C-alpha cells in the first residue's frame, strides 16, 4: 500500500483553504531532496552538499527519511513542511527518531503532532513496537505526545548502509528476545538469519551496561590518611539513574544535557 494513501488526510484550520497533508519516504520522492535539505538547514545549518549526501541515504532498509508534505501531490503547490528520520535500534523492534522538524512558519498549528503520529503509524506498519529519541529541549513536546523518559539505546544510524547487520550484532548483543526482533522487518532486509542448530551453546554473558554518559573520570586516589570522598558518580552497575523532564543525567558528545525518551506503540 502506498504510504501516502495510508496517512493522507484533509482538514481545515478555520481558514478557507483546506490543506492536504501526507507522509512520503524521501527515497520515493527524490525530486524533493533539495527542498528537504533546505528545511533541515533552516533549522540545523550544514553545507548543502553534506546535507544532501546524508539525505540520499534514505532507503526502505533504513535510515528512512519521512517527509510531511502539504499541497496537491506533484503540483507547484506541493511543499515539504516537515521531516523525521528513522533508524534501527540494535537488538530490538525499536526505531530511533531524529531530525524532527516542522517548517518554522507552520509551527504551533498541529503539524508536529501529525508528523509524529505518522511516524508512529509508519513504524507500526513495519512491525516495530517502540520509538526512541533524544532531545535537548523538546522533552515537553514529546511527553505531551506520550513519550516517557528512558535510558540510552544504540541506534544503527547509517552504519547499516555499509555494514551487514550480522556484523553489527556481533558488537551489540541484545538483552531482548532475538525471535521478537526478527518479527520487526527492520531486521529482515539484509541476509536471512542462518539456520539455527537444535542445541544452542550457552549465550555469551551480556556486556556490562554503559556508564552514565555524563560521568566524569574518577578523581585521583586521596592521601592514605584522609577519609575517602563520596563518589561523585556511583558505579554504573548500581547507580540509580534519576531523571525528570527538567533534569537529565545524560549528555551528548559535546557535553550538552540530553533527554532520552521512548514511546511504546
Ligand atoms: C518540535 C516541533 C517539531 C513541534 O512541531 P509543531 O508543529 O510546532 O507542534 P504542534 O503544533 O503539532 O504541537 C503538538 C502538540 O504539542 C504541544 N506542544 C508543542 N510544543 C510543545 C512544547 N514545547 N511543550 C509542550 N507541549 C508542546 C502543542 O501544544 C500541541 O498540543 P495539542 O496537539 O494537544 O494541541 C517544532 O516546534 C520544530 O520543528 N521545532 C524546531 C526543530 C526541533 O527542535 N525539533 C526537535 C528536535 S528533538
Amino acid at each position: 500500500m502506498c504510504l501516502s494513501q495510508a496517512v493522507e488526510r484533509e482538514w481545515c484550520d478555520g481558514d478557507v483553504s483546506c490543506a492536504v497533508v501526507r507522509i512520503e519516504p524521501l527515497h520515493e520522492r527524490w525530486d524533493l531532496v533539495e527542498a528537504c535539505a533546505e528545511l533541515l538547514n533552516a533549522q540545523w545549518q550544514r553545507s548543502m552538499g553534506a546535507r544532501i549526501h546524508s539525505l540520499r541515504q534514505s532507503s526502505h532498509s533504513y535510515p528512512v527519511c519521512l517527509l510531511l508534505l502539504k499541497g496537491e501531490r506533484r503540483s507547484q503547490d506541493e511543499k515539504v513542511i516537515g521531516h523525521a528520520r528513522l533508524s534501527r535500534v540494535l537488538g530490538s523492534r525499536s526505531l530511533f527518531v531524529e531530525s524532527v522538524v516542522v517548517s518554522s512558519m507552520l509551527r504551533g498549528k498541529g503539524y508536529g503532532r501529525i508528523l509524529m503520529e505518522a511516524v508512529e503509524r509508519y513504524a507500526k506498519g513495519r512491525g516495530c513496537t517502540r520509538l526512541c529519541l533524544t532531545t535537548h529541549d523538546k522533552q515537553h513536546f514529546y511527553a505531551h505526545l506520550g513519550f516517557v523518559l528512558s535510558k540510552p539505546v544504540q541506534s544503527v544510524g547509517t552504519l547499516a548502509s555499509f555494514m551487514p547487520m550480522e556484523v553489527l550484532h556481533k558488537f551489540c548483543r541484545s538483552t531482548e528476545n532475538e525471535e521478537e526482533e526478527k518479527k520487526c522487518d527492520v531486521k529482515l532486509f539484509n541476509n536471512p538469519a542462518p539456520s539455527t542448530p537444535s542445541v544452542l551453546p550457552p549465550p555469551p554473558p551480556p556486556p556490562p551496561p554503559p556508564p552514565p554518559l555524563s560521568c566524569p573520570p574518577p578523581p585521583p586516589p586521596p592521601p592514605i590518611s584522609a577519609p575517602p570522598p563520596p563518589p561523585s558518580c556511583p558505579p554504573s552497575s548500581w547507580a540509580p539513574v534519576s531523571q525528570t523532564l527538567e533534569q537529565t543525567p545524560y549528555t551528548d558528545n559535546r557535553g550538552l544535557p540530553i533527554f532520552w525518551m521512548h514511546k511504546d506503540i
Side-chain angles (χ1 to χ4, degrees), residues 109-210:
K109 296 173 183 286
Y111 291 103
R113 178 186 278 278
I114 288 170
L115 176 61
M116 291 307 295
E117 288 175 353
V119 164
E120 260 183 68
R121 275 192 297 272
Y122 180 87
K124 266 192 203 170
R126 303 244 353 226
C128 298
T129 55
R130 177 174 284 193
L131 296 177
C132 305
L133 56 80
T134 58
T135 180
H136 290 109
D137 60 356
K138 294 296 184 293
Q139 63 277 19
H140 294 282
F141 164 70
Y142 291 116
H144 190 69
L145 298 184
F147 283 78
V148 294
L149 294 166
S150 67
K151 288 189 283 187
V153 296
Q154 264 180 305
S155 90
V156 175
T158 53
L159 269 182
S161 58
F162 55 86
M163 200 182 277
M165 282 308 290
E166 284 74 15
V167 177
L168 288 171
H169 276 283
K170 290 211 168 80
F171 288 105
C172 172
R173 302 304 299 171
S174 166
T175 54
E176 295 183 34
N177 185 330
E178 288 195 5
E179 283 308 309
E180 282 293 292
E181 174 194 328
K182 284 176 200 153
K183 289 185 199 154
C184 179
D185 76 347
V186 298
K187 303 296 180 195
L188 298 180
F189 309 115
N190 296 297
N191 305 328
S195 59
T196 322
S198 53
V199 180
L200 290 170

Side-chain angles (χ1 to χ4, degrees), residues 40-115:
L40 284 160
N41 274 7
Q43 183 66 37
W44 298 290
Q45 193 55 52
R46 202 173 167 190
S47 82
M48 270 307 258
R51 179 68 72 187
I52 286 176
H53 177 76
S54 151
L55 286 171
R56 285 256 170 218
Q57 289 165 357
S58 178
S59 91
H60 185 74
S61 42
Y62 296 96
V64 169
C65 294
L66 291 180
L67 306 179
L68 182 64
L69 302 174
K70 188 178 181 187
E72 202 61 39
R73 194 163 193 268
R74 294 191 185 273
S75 75
Q76 295 281 354
D77 295 337
E78 187 177 38
K79 297 248 174 339
V80 181
I81 63 164
H83 167 276
R85 183 176 191 262
L86 311 180
S87 335
R88 288 175 276 196
V89 173
L90 273 176
S92 74
R93 295 171 68 191
S94 309
L95 289 180
F96 189 74
V97 189
E98 57 194 326
S99 304
V100 173
V101 65
V102 165
S103 175
S104 59
M105 303 291 286
L106 296 170
R107 288 177 198 162
K109 296 173 183 286
Y111 291 103
R113 178 186 278 278
I114 288 170
L115 176 61

